[in-house]
Amino acid sequence: MLQKKWWHEKTAYQIYPKSFCDSNGDGIGDLKGIISKLDYLKELGVDIIWLSPIYCSPLADQGYDISDYYNIDPRFGTMDDMDELLKEAKARNMYIIMDLVVNHCSDEHQWFQKACGDPEGEFGKYFYIETVKDGKLPNNWRSYFGGSVWEKLPGHEDKYYMHVFHKKQPDLNWENPKLRHEVYKMINWWLEKGVAGFRIDAIMNIKKPNIFTTYPADREDGLASIENMIRDAVGIDEFLHEMKMETFEKYNAFTVGEVFTDRPDALKAFIGNDGHFSTMFDFSETCAGKNEDGWYKCQPVVCGDEYKACAFGTQKRLGDLGFISNIIENHDEPRGVSHYIPAEDLNDTSKKMLAAVNIMLRGLPFIYQGQELGMTNVDFTSIDQIDDCSTQDEYKVALKAGLSADEAFHAVLPFSRDNARTPFHWNDSANAGFTSAAPWLMVNPNYVQINAKDQVGRQNSVFSWYKELISLRKNPEYKETIVYGEVIPYKAEQKNLMAYYRKGTDKTLLVAANYQNKAQDLKLPGTFKQVLMNNLDTLDLDGSTLHMPGYQVVILEL
Ligand code: NOJ
């Protein structure tokens, strides 16, 4: 039986600080900007806020390369601003969680600087540094952002360090107890300060198999996917258990893991009652249609039955074992509405359908900034408009595979992380009201139609729909059912129909969505008490048959 936790009934929201709200006119979002928008988030119904990294960083990977874990990057503000944010959030009964990025730090972190100065010394042991003879690297692993995981250690001709992400993100050596102790000290420092917990970055990478393992090459570059490393690493549980006991457990902190793994026991080990984390993201939909050869071969849209199969698959595997976190997008993914709805069907009705089927699942909803407005992918016109290092790499992969520049650009564009990273649309004034200066990344031109000013307070807006979904989840009448009720698929075999019961102790709801643009009929299981939500103005009921126009979704109380 799942043990109940304070955060189960909450709703979480991810802020990508660089693109949320710029208070000082430098084109970059900041903490003061976030503070100024807390009331907006409160109105939406948000309880937990996850801040993508705001620590000091050269921003080679947008803050996921940390050069000082104990300070705020001046571009985002000061520690006083952070304290103010914690205070203002608390005053509104909101919780702040930080991003915990400890698989790697920045090459500008003093640990790495010292390691470069003395690779054999104390700090050299914080990293994976190897002496290379005759140019033969220790292994042939390909980093997530392309190229070998090995890079020459600055100042040393014969020494290399390992980085599974960007070369400015050297991997920390978790085998070293001293390093682990430093990490735990830092975590506890933030928990003492009043953060409620952490989103835990790239955590599966902290454990490596024998680093001298060479795998069969899977591309012409002679390298092998880093997934081999994740698959073969044994013993991560000891690290994660130790981290939990030394930190989170002592503070009753909330943690959500970025866990990518095929381990059959993963759900129990990571989010069971004694799991390493409170919860973890469900990436089953985001992983659907992926291809090992590169983004250019991935499937740009995953919808209807495919989406349903992913969501139901997770719920079935999970059962009552733990509490998953449900997303349709984040800062590493394209916009959910662009990825899970075909472009020609994209409108407020289909966006609301996607929101309802996702938020009504069992688990903790995480909304990514702008999702509540139905923000979409961006029609970038040139690869030069893209800042993201991963997109730049995948573009090169596509070119190498023989695509023309234009083909390569259009093949990778649907997956670009910058789709979700463009500035937030506050209003229809210049730069979407995000900044008074030139924004660091272009604003999606559709901000004139899609923006908060237009949607907050407009009854049938996407924002109002999200607000209503969140408030239904909090409604004392339905809370128990929506938070803890079982998910039971209904007519799972009916094509492009995504319907499921939420069965609580004293109530049963039915969420039914016509996940396609064509109308279809749904035979209801019997009579129902009332319609709790409907994304259309009409309900076309004929006896117990519901005639559903394309993308209609209803939530019925049975
Ligand atoms: C996952 C983060 O979400 C992503 O943005 C980042 O590039 C990598 N981890 C490396 O930290």
Side-chain angles (χ1 to χ4, degrees):
M1 265 290 273
L2 178 76
Q3 281 162 18
K4 295 195 174 175
K5 292 284 157 63
W6 64 267
W7 51 270
H8 283 164
E9 58 191 55
K10 305 295 184 202
T11 295
Y13 188 93
Q14 180 189 357
I15 291 185
Y16 196 66
K18 203 174 179 189
S19 299
F20 192 57
C21 179
D22 173 20
S23 76
N24 63 350
D26 62 358
I28 293 178
D30 47 48
L31 290 174
K32 280 212 167 77
I34 295 174
I35 296 169
S36 75
K37 299 299 183 187
L38 286 177
D39 288 332
Y40 165 84
L41 297 176
K42 188 76 196 168
E43 168 155 16
L44 179 60
V46 170
D47 309 290
I48 298 174
I49 299 173
W50 154 26
L51 296 181
S52 273
I54 46 162
Y55 314 87
C56 290
S57 165
L59 304 189
D61 185 23
Q62 302 303 357
Y64 285 89
D65 46 321
I66 297 170
S67 55
D68 181 354
Y69 289 96
Y70 292 94
N71 275 301
I72 305 295
D73 192 284
R75 281 166 285 209
F76 297 130
T78 63
M79 196 54 86
D80 284 346
D81 296 340
M82 185 65 203
D83 290 334
E84 175 83 7
L85 173 62
L86 289 170
K87 198 177 101 210
E88 291 296 328
K90 195 165 182 192
R92 292 168 177 79
N93 286 324
M94 292 161 114
Y95 304 82
I96 302 287
I97 67 168
M98 298 281 274
D99 216 306
L100 183 66
V101 189
V102 288
N103 171 67
H104 45 266
C105 60
S106 160
D107 64 343
E108 297 183 30
H109 193 288
Q110 56 162 341
W111 293 339
F112 191 72
Q113 299 288 315
K114 288 182 181 163
C116 292
D118 179 12
E120 316 297 340
E122 179 184 349
F123 292 98
K125 298 190 181 69
Y126 275 34
F127 299 92
Y128 290 91
I129 297 175
E130 292 297 324
T131 305
V132 168
K133 285 200 193 83
D134 310 323
K136 184 148 178 16
L137 298 173
N139 63 39
N140 68 338
W141 307 350
R142 183 187 302 108
S143 76
Y144 287 99
F145 297 150
S148 165
V149 297
W150 295 98
E151 184 72 20
K152 209 172 259 179
L153 191 70
H156 303 266
E157 274 313 301
D158 62 340
K159 291 203 175 353
Y160 283 70
Y161 68 93
M162 178 158 44
H163 61 92
V164 303
F165 290 94
H166 196 280
K167 65 178 181 206
K168 282 183 73 61
Q169 294 169 304
D171 277 49
L172 292 165
N173 187 348
W174 275 68
E175 305 298 330
N176 179 353
K178 239 177 155 177
L179 174 272
R180 299 206 299 276
H181 175 78
E182 280 300 323
V183 169
Y184 305 153
K185 198 173 92 186
M186 178 272 291
I187 294 174
N188 289 335
W189 187 86
W190 281 102
L191 289 170
E192 282 293 331
K193 212 177 205 330
V195 306
F198 297 91
R199 173 266 185 183
I200 299 170
D201 184 71
I203 197 65
M204 296 312 287
N205 296 278
I206 63 172
K207 187 77 195 183
K208 275 87 174 158
N210 181 347
I211 62 164
F212 298 99
T213 314
T214 293
Y215 295 108
D218 51 32
R219 287 188 198 164
E220 275 177 9
D221 58 9
L223 302 175
S225 165
I226 197 77
E227 301 301 334
N228 294 295
M229 174 193 92
I230 303 275
R231 186 198 56 225
D232 285 357
V234 182
I236 194 172
D237 300 275
E238 281 90 60
F239 288 162
L240 296 181
H241 182 71
E242 181 184 87
M243 171 159 72
K244 177 181 169 187
M245 290 306 158
E246 294 287 330
T247 61
F248 315 134
E249 186 80 352
K250 297 184 187 167
Y251 293 83
N252 194 20
F254 165 79
T255 51
V256 49
E258 188 197 25
V259 177
F260 285 99
T261 174
D262 290 338
R263 258 171 62 171
D265 68 332
L267 290 172
K268 186 161 184 302
F270 287 85
I271 61 171
N273 283 334
D274 298 316
H276 305 311
F277 304 129
S278 312
T279 177
M280 66 195 235
F281 293 111
D282 178 23
F283 290 120
S284 59
E285 294 96 345
T286 59
C287 289
K290 288 266 151 85
N291 188 296
E292 288 176 355
D293 291 344
W295 288 0
Y296 75 97
K297 276 200 184 167
C298 294
Q299 182 185 322
V301 178
V302 171
C303 59
D305 284 345
E306 266 183 289
Y307 183 90
K308 170 169 77 173
C310 295
F312 285 176
T314 299
Q315 295 286 335
K316 188 170 173 201
R317 281 192 300 280
L318 187 61
D320 201 30
L321 211 62
F323 214 72
I324 199 90
S325 286
N326 295 309
I327 57 164
I328 64 166
E329 64 198 42
N330 64 29
H331 66 293
D332 291 333
E333 297 295 327
R335 286 289 181 179
V337 293
S338 302
H339 192 56
Y340 301 116
I341 300 168
E344 60 278 15
D345 296 350
L346 201 50
N347 52 41
D348 283 2
T349 303
S350 55
K351 290 176 182 179
K352 289 176 184 174
M353 181 229 59
L354 182 63
V357 295
N358 184 263
I359 302 246
M360 289 300 290
L361 288 169
R362 191 175 200 254
L364 181 66
F366 265 84
I367 297 167
Y368 177 72
Q369 66 180 45
Q371 177 185 330
E372 74 278 19
L373 304 177
M375 279 180 69
T376 64
N377 275 0
V378 186
D379 288 328
F380 291 106
T381 50
S382 150
I383 190 71
D384 301 329
Q385 290 170 326
I386 309 261
D387 173 274
D388 170 33
C389 58
S390 191
T391 313
Q392 294 290 349
D393 169 58
E394 292 285 350
Y395 173 67
K396 285 187 206 124
V397 170
L399 288 177
K400 262 202 195 113
L403 277 72
S404 71
D406 190 54
E407 286 164 350
F409 174 61
H410 286 101
V412 300
L413 198 53
F415 308 100
S416 175
R417 306 197 295 179
D418 278 356
N419 281 306
R421 295 178 179 187
T422 56
F424 191 95
H425 299 178
W426 291 108
N427 55 47
D428 60 1
S429 73
N431 299 322
F434 160 72
T435 180
S436 56
W440 73 276
L441 186 65
M442 74 175 253
V443 177
N444 191 332
N446 68 11
Y447 75 90
V448 184
Q449 294 85 39
I450 302 173
N451 64 69
K453 180 162 169 255
D454 167 61
Q455 294 196 24
V456 176
R458 178 158 64 77
Q459 226 191 342
N460 60 355
S461 69
V462 175
F463 177 91
S464 297
W465 178 259
Y466 267 93
K467 189 172 154 180
E468 211 182 320
L469 281 168
I470 297 169
S471 109
L472 180 64
R473 188 180 153 81
K474 292 189 177 176
N475 182 328
E477 286 255 320
Y478 301 102
K479 193 159 91 177
E480 191 271 341
T481 308
I482 299 177
V483 175
Y484 293 112
E486 226 185 309
V487 171
I488 305 172
Y490 179 64
K491 295 205 179 286
E493 68 294 340
Q494 189 170 328
K495 215 173 152 354
N496 291 338
L497 174 92
M498 181 161 173
Y500 53 92
Y501 295 108
R502 296 301 318 273
K503 209 168 173 359
T505 44
D506 62 345
K507 278 194 174 40
T508 302
L509 308 182
L510 180 70
V511 181
N514 178 11
Y515 202 147
Q516 61 177 16
N517 60 13
K518 280 197 316 252
Q520 70 172 311
D521 287 349
L522 170 64
K523 186 107 183 86
L524 294 174
T527 53
F528 57 90
K529 287 203 188 103
Q530 57 171 325
V531 182
L532 296 177
M533 286 183 73
N534 178 359
N535 64 345
L536 298 178
D537 293 335
T538 52
L539 193 75
D540 190 355
L541 194 63
D542 180 2
S544 62
T545 299
L546 190 57
H547 302 301
M548 302 183 86
Y551 293 107
Q552 181 172 37
V553 64
V554 291
I555 304 175
L556 307 177
E557 180 178 354
L558 304 183

